[in-house]
Amino acid sequence: ENEIIEDEENFYNQIYSGSLFSSSKIIIISEATDKLEKKLNDVYEKYPENVSIIISAGVLEKKSKLRNFFETNKKTICIPCYLDNEKDLSIIAHQELKKNNIILSQEVINLLVEKSNSDRNNLRNEIKKIESYSLNKKNLEIHEIKSLINFSGNYKSDILVNECLCGNVSQYKKIISELYINTVN
């Protein structure tokens, strides 16, 4: 976005000029805010058919001009992408367990959510293990769950690196301590 604001002419040249190598173009704009709405509206009105523009933005509130632009125009779409939070994962866990009539304490569900690393696929995999284990037993204790869920290898190296690079010291220390404990065990 900053490059577009600093050099509007270059932005319009990239959109409206032809390409020597392809009949279509894809332009990706990252870190977009409402400041771009007017420029995108200008491009939209002229509608260059051979150009696709992909916008990556942070959280766009309901009153955001950029969000409104993409939601109201017929030739544009808005696809929200976000990470699951602990509440969402807890709801998913409750629903999956309820389907199979498995009763777990909130403490166990919190442990499952924590061990999922904000990844619903990890959470579902752990719940499948619990489902398989509990074929004859519908009430499980926390020590049984701890023996079932995947403590080692839970954190992928890229997650560890990302937490370090993002400066999330508490999350980084938590991952390191778990990896260390598992190694000692």
Side-chain angles (χ1 to χ4, degrees), residues 113-163:
V113 168
E114 181 183 329
K115 295 298 174 190
S116 71
N117 294 326
S118 299
D119 185 341
R120 68 173 62 188
N121 288 329
N122 287 347
L123 179 65
R124 285 199 173 109
N125 288 338
E126 298 303 332
I127 290 174
K128 284 180 186 175
K129 287 182 198 176
I130 293 168
E131 289 171 5
S132 298
Y133 180 77
S134 69
L135 289 176
N136 299 326
K137 197 174 184 182
K138 297 299 175 193
N139 238 346
L140 300 173
E141 299 298 322
I142 192 162
H143 68 277
E144 293 173 296
I145 300 299
K146 283 183 177 181
S147 68
L148 287 174
I149 62 176
N150 189 12
F151 281 99
S152 62
N154 220 12
Y155 297 104
K156 298 175 187 162
S157 60
D158 59 332
I159 294 173
L160 180 68
V161 170
N162 285 342
E163 294 300 335

Side-chain angles (χ1 to χ4, degrees), residues 12 20 41 73 80 104 108 112 145 162 169 172 184:
Y12 291 120
L20 297 174
N41 199 20
N73 291 310
L104 296 178
V108 173
L112 287 171
I145 300 299
N162 285 342
V169 177
Y172 178 75
V184 171

Side-chain angles (χ1 to χ4, degrees), residues 2-42:
N2 291 336
E3 292 174 21
I4 295 169
I5 292 171
E6 289 172 7
D7 192 1
E8 277 185 52
E9 186 177 333
N10 184 37
F11 172 64
Y12 291 120
N13 284 339
Q14 285 186 13
I15 290 175
Y16 298 117
S17 64
S19 173
L20 297 174
F21 304 105
S22 178
S23 61
S24 61
K25 291 185 193 180
I26 297 175
I27 297 174
I28 300 173
I29 302 171
S30 60
E31 300 176 24
T33 63
D34 286 345
K35 296 176 193 175
L36 280 184
E37 188 268 336
K38 185 177 182 320
K39 292 170 185 46
L40 292 172
N41 199 20
D42 293 342

Side-chain angles (χ1 to χ4, degrees), residues 82-102 104-106 108-110 112-114 116-128 130-131:
Y82 54 90
L83 293 173
D84 290 320
N85 60 29
E86 288 182 7
K87 182 180 177 185
D88 295 333
L89 293 172
S90 181
I91 291 169
I92 291 169
H94 279 291
Q95 290 171 345
E96 293 289 323
L97 294 167
K98 189 175 181 179
K99 285 181 195 174
N100 295 293
N101 296 323
I102 299 171
L104 296 178
S105 69
Q106 188 61 43
V108 173
I109 290 174
N110 291 344
L112 287 171
V113 168
E114 181 183 329
S116 71
N117 294 326
S118 299
D119 185 341
R120 68 173 62 188
N121 288 329
N122 287 347
L123 179 65
R124 285 199 173 109
N125 288 338
E126 298 303 332
I127 290 174
K128 284 180 186 175
I130 293 168
E131 289 171 5

